[in-house]
Amino acid sequence: MKTFYEKYKHAIPVMIYAVIYMTWFLYLEESNKRNFRVIHVTLDDYIPFCEFFVIPYFLWFVYVSAVVIYFFFKNKEDYAKSCVFFIIGMTIFLIISTLFPNVHHLRPAVMPRENIFTHLTTYLYSTDTPTNLWPSIHVYNSLGAHFAVVKNPRLAGKKWVARGSLITCISIILSTMFLKQHSLFDVVTAFIMAAIMYGIVYKYDIVMVYKERAHARKKAAPQVN
């Protein structure tokens, strides 16, 4: 058990955060009696509804999870970086949603067609309220997953992986707008937040800085005989 714990203990912080995030998020989803601010920009009205994008929208769950799981087993440092990227951004999203409850009215009142994709979209609408959308976590985490892939030398060296990740990332981002799940405003603000976090996590390398400072403190601490 001790060997197992030492090998996989880096999963514990993420597991704890997952419980915190879901509890907080579900609370926000149930708080429907708050004063919501409507999110809308003019360009939203020019983006058509396209139900086929429900496939990449749902693919998001597989895409982000696959990236995290891969690094969990293959590269602890990249795992830590991707988790820091996701956790900070998702926490900012929760704080914004708590302080500035928001909603949009972009979804079509009636589906323009009837097919398997509109049925899937109807199901999506029934399980996900059009509230607390800013910034888009679908967009932010997709960018984070792609950053993690291209910043890893092993994966970036495989062109089909890097290109596949980029295509998946772009299709998910487009899906948020074509399914009328998010306003262009949500998408743009997610890009801005992702750009800032990219600088902190991958340029400044906050994970390595933290490790170096922790090591320095440990080295400077008085030794107890």
Side-chain angles (χ1 to χ4, degrees):
M1 285 297 294
K2 185 177 180 180
T3 302
F4 181 86
Y5 171 77
E6 289 296 327
K7 189 175 182 180
Y8 298 115
K9 65 181 180 181
H10 51 295
I12 295 176
V14 175
M15 294 171 65
I16 293 174
Y17 181 76
V19 174
I20 295 172
Y21 178 84
M22 288 307 301
T23 301
W24 194 344
F25 179 77
L26 290 174
Y27 164 75
L28 293 174
E29 283 288 281
E30 294 298 324
S31 302
N32 291 326
K33 295 182 179 180
R34 298 180 297 162
N35 294 320
F36 291 104
R37 300 186 181 190
V38 177
I39 294 178
H40 180 268
V41 295
T42 303
L43 289 177
D44 291 332
D45 300 329
Y46 294 93
I47 300 174
F49 170 78
C50 184
E51 68 271 22
F52 303 109
F53 277 96
V54 73
I55 300 302
Y57 190 88
F58 278 126
L59 185 60
W60 175 83
F61 297 96
V62 178
Y63 177 53
V64 175
S65 298
V67 170
V68 173
I69 292 171
Y70 175 83
F71 288 123
F72 176 80
F73 289 106
K74 296 294 185 179
N75 190 308
K76 289 184 180 181
E77 183 176 336
D78 283 344
Y79 168 78
K81 289 180 180 180
S82 61
C83 288
V84 167
F85 187 99
F86 293 142
I87 288 173
I88 293 179
M90 292 165 71
T91 302
I92 292 173
F93 158 76
L94 290 172
I95 293 172
I96 290 174
S97 297
T98 301
L99 299 178
F100 306 101
N102 50 84
V103 66
H104 76 52
H105 304 302
L106 301 174
R107 295 176 175 181
V110 178
M111 287 296 166
R113 294 164 292 279
E114 185 171 343
N115 52 51
I116 183 61
F117 303 107
T118 53
H119 289 317
L120 286 172
T121 304
T122 300
Y123 170 75
L124 172 64
Y125 286 176
S126 69
T127 59
D128 187 15
T129 64
T131 58
N132 302 316
L133 309 151
W134 163 49
S136 169
I137 289 301
H138 247 66
V139 172
Y140 176 82
N141 281 0
S142 295
L143 290 169
H146 182 62
F147 293 156
V149 170
V150 298
K151 295 300 290 184
N152 178 266
R154 183 177 181 182
L155 294 181
K158 298 179 179 179
K159 291 184 178 180
W160 67 272
V161 173
R163 290 172 181 172
S165 175
L166 179 60
I167 292 171
T168 302
C169 179
I170 292 174
S171 64
I172 292 172
I173 291 171
L174 291 175
S175 75
T176 64
M177 294 179 285
F178 283 107
L179 282 185
K180 298 301 181 178
Q181 278 290 91
H182 283 282
S183 164
L184 180 63
F185 178 79
D186 308 328
V187 174
V188 171
T189 51
F191 265 89
I192 294 172
M193 188 166 73
I196 294 171
M197 285 309 304
Y198 177 85
I200 294 173
V201 174
Y202 292 103
K203 293 296 184 180
Y204 177 68
D205 201 349
I206 190 174
V207 173
M208 183 58 66
V209 170
Y210 173 80
K211 287 182 178 180
E212 289 176 351
R213 289 181 179 177
H215 179 72
R217 287 194 298 268
K218 184 177 181 181
K219 190 175 181 181
Q223 299 296 319
V224 179
N225 295 324

